[in-house]
Amino acid sequence: MKIDNSSKLPSGINADSSAGAGKGKPVPSAPQQPSSGTSVSLGSTAAQLSSLERGMAESSPVDSGKVEQIKQAISEGRFKVNTEVVAERLLETVRDLIGSKA
């Protein structure tokens, strides 16, 4: 049996594009670079977020003085753990986690 390749293809399809992957497909053009006169405004929210980010970067989330006091107390044997407070705060955390999943 012989296959006849002379049959017409549906409109919009040519023989080259159906023969192989990627053939006949348009190639995406490279992104256009903005001209020097282009300006972009991100709004007040973006400015506020940027300001917050700078403020957080400048401040330390850890009180290094307090850390040194605790280290000193531990090394001198003066640091006491209040087990009742630890247990109560642990239970509070568990209650919060259970409550947030409900």
Side-chain angles (χ1 to χ4, degrees):
M1 176 190 231
K2 185 175 180 183
I3 299 175
D4 184 13
N5 287 337
S6 64
S7 63
K8 283 189 157 189
L9 294 173
S11 64
I13 299 176
N14 62 29
D16 290 338
S17 67
S18 62
K23 289 185 178 178
K25 293 183 181 179
V27 176
S29 61
Q32 299 263 339
Q33 294 295 325
S35 65
S36 60
T38 303
S39 67
V40 177
S41 175
L42 298 177
S44 63
T45 304
Q48 288 173 340
L49 287 173
S50 180
S51 175
L52 279 172
E53 181 181 25
R54 280 191 303 275
M56 290 177 69
E58 293 169 359
S59 68
S60 175
V62 177
D63 183 354
S64 57
K66 182 76 171 176
V67 170
E68 288 305 315
Q69 288 176 352
I70 293 171
K71 280 182 175 181
Q72 186 69 29
I74 291 171
S75 68
E76 294 173 357
R78 297 181 291 114
F79 186 79
K80 304 287 187 224
V81 176
N82 187 340
T83 56
E84 290 180 20
V85 171
V86 171
E88 184 57 39
R89 291 195 179 155
L90 179 60
L91 289 172
E92 285 177 23
T93 301
V94 170
R95 286 184 201 114
D96 289 344
L97 289 172
I98 291 172
S100 68
K101 290 185 179 183

